[in-house]
Structures are given as structure tokens and as C-alpha cells.
Amino acid sequence: SQQGEEDPQALSIQEGENATMNCSYKTSINNLQWYRQNSGRGLVHLILIRSNEREKHSGRLRVTLDTSKKSSSLLITASRAADTASYFCATDETSGSRLTFGEGTQLTVNP
Amino acid sequence: KAGVTQTPRYLIKTRGQQVTLSCSPISGHRSVSWYQQTPGQGLQFLFEYFSETQRNKGNFPGRFSGRQFSNSRSEMNVSTLELGDSALYLCASSTGLVPYEQYFGPGTRLTVT
């Protein structure tokens, strides 16, 4: 079963705009990771944020984590058509190494 | 560093047959995890192998099994295939240590007819 829920399920924006995706989870976690998947292909690791961190940046990506609300957000700034993909959050629970994925957000960036 | 490789990339099998999928992790990584992705169930964890031992297991029937070799390469086997086993099977490589950052292969697309 999926631990996380992502919001929105689908997002369509214009190139140059910012895209924000949210993820909620249910249990205590060690870390939260974000992945990108282009249509039916493997997942690409984007960023990992530890449970004791509140915000992390990587290039055009900004991730926040609120463990009190059990939620995270991924912001992509100045989006490009190449950012069109599905984005997943994944958590690893304090008990082990298995990742539990959210349902994903389908992002479409229109040129 | 070479990435995670999976073979074969595409596979078509008939109900009742069995299938073996292979995954070669990133050099130096000792953990391999397997995931099943379907439109209905999303990404679901199958199992993880670390240093040739199964360390974690998801909620899949016993028809799904795996193993890991001394060079960290892993295989996943599905016996008595069912139509519902049609999916993208993804393998992920990691050091096996916290923070469990995982790197995925391109996947094997299995179609059961």
C-alpha cells in the first residue's frame, strides 16, 4: 500500500513558471527522497532530505520537510519543457531501508 | 561510474510460465532492491538484498523470489505467471547504509499474455 499521497495528481504549467508538488506521509521517517520518472522509464534520483532538515536546495529544486505535519513539498523554479515527467516522493521508515512511494504528480510543462 | 543495468528490457511471457530478471548494481553498492510498478497499484516494494541476504520483504506472494550473488548482482524470479504480473519491474542500487539513497535502473517491462 502507498504511504504517501501526492498533490496535485496532475499539474500543467507554462515554461518559465514555477511548479510546486506536495507529498504527505503517515509514519515516522528517516529521510524523504524525490524522484523523477519520464514516461515508463526508470526513476531518476533528484534530492534527499533527512528528517532533521527543514529545507534543501539543488539547482532549480527546493525541497521542504515538515515532520510535524508529515509533509514535504518540491518546488521546481523556472520550469522547462524537459521537466515534463512524473514526480514521486519516497520515504524510508525508521525501521528499515525499504522505500514507500507516493502516487506521483504528473507535471506537464508547455513550451 | 556505470549506472544500474537491468536485463532484459522487455519480455513477453505466457500465463503459467516463469521468468528471471537480472540487475547489476552500481560498482561498490551492496544493496539491491526490487520494485513493481503498475498503473493501478503504483510503485510497490518487493524485496531488498544486502550482502547476499534478504534484508526486507514486501507483501508479495511466494511466487516472487530473488537472490543476490557475491558480486552484488541480483536476480528476481516470478513463477507461475499471472496476467496481473504484467508490470514494469525496477531495481534500485544503494550502498545499503543510511540514508538509503537509491539509484534506479531503466526497468524491465514484463507483459504476460
Side-chain angles (χ1 to χ4, degrees):
Chain A
S1 62
Q2 299 292 317
Q3 158 159 245
E5 292 183 3
E6 288 176 73
D7 161 44
Q9 289 191 332
L11 181 60
S12 182
I13 59 174
Q14 296 299 124
E15 233 176 2
E17 294 181 338
N18 295 341
T20 300
M21 288 159 268
N22 303 297
C23 163
S24 61
Y25 57 91
K26 297 173 185 170
T27 65
S28 297
I29 61 170
N30 282 320
N31 310 283
L32 186 143
Q33 304 181 53
W34 284 90
Y35 289 86
R36 183 186 76 227
Q37 185 179 38
N38 291 86
S39 184
R41 303 174 79 172
L43 278 75
V44 174
H45 186 270
L46 295 176
I47 196 165
L48 177 148
I49 186 166
R50 297 177 187 250
S51 60
N52 62 354
E53 296 176 311
R54 292 296 165 257
E55 187 171 313
K56 201 162 183 181
H57 297 254
S58 176
R60 294 185 296 115
L61 306 179
R62 172 179 169 251
V63 169
T64 61
L65 179 64
D66 187 334
T67 52
S68 66
K69 294 181 179 177
K70 293 186 167 58
S71 67
S72 173
S73 68
L74 170 68
L75 168 67
I76 304 174
T77 60
S79 63
R80 306 166 182 168
D83 294 328
T84 294
S86 293
Y87 291 81
F88 294 89
C89 68
T91 55
D92 61 62
E93 298 167 16
T94 52
S95 60
S97 58
R98 60 189 284 176
L99 290 183
T100 303
F101 283 84
E103 295 172 354
T105 292
Q106 173 62 51
L107 173 66
T108 302
V109 181
N110 301 299
Chain B
K1 238 181 196 179
V4 181
T5 58
Q6 290 188 246
T7 57
R9 293 292 310 279
Y10 302 91
L11 205 48
I12 300 174
K13 289 285 188 179
T14 303
R15 266 182 304 176
Q17 288 186 316
Q18 75 165 19
V19 67
T20 299
L21 312 181
S22 180
C23 172
S24 291
I26 292 169
S27 178
H29 283 190
R30 294 161 62 193
S31 167
V32 173
S33 298
W34 288 90
Y35 294 84
Q36 181 197 66
Q37 186 177 29
T38 59
Q41 298 297 316
L43 278 151
Q44 294 195 293
F45 173 80
L46 281 154
F47 32 65
E48 181 214 4
Y49 285 86
F50 178 73
S51 293
E52 301 180 66
T53 302
Q54 188 180 83
R55 185 163 70 170
N56 263 300
K57 188 177 186 307
N59 298 322
F60 278 80
R63 300 186 297 107
F64 292 82
S65 63
R67 59 178 175 167
Q68 186 180 34
F69 302 95
S70 58
N71 62 358
S72 293
R73 188 178 71 85
S74 176
E75 288 182 347
M76 189 192 94
N77 186 74
V78 188
S79 63
T80 320
L81 284 165
E82 301 177 359
L83 293 178
D85 297 333
S86 293
L88 181 66
Y89 289 88
L90 294 160
C91 114
S93 162
S94 82
T95 60
L97 307 173
V98 175
Y100 306 125
E101 198 165 290
Q102 296 190 14
Y103 297 88
F104 283 78
T108 293
R109 172 76 61 185
L110 172 64
T111 301
V112 182
T113 61

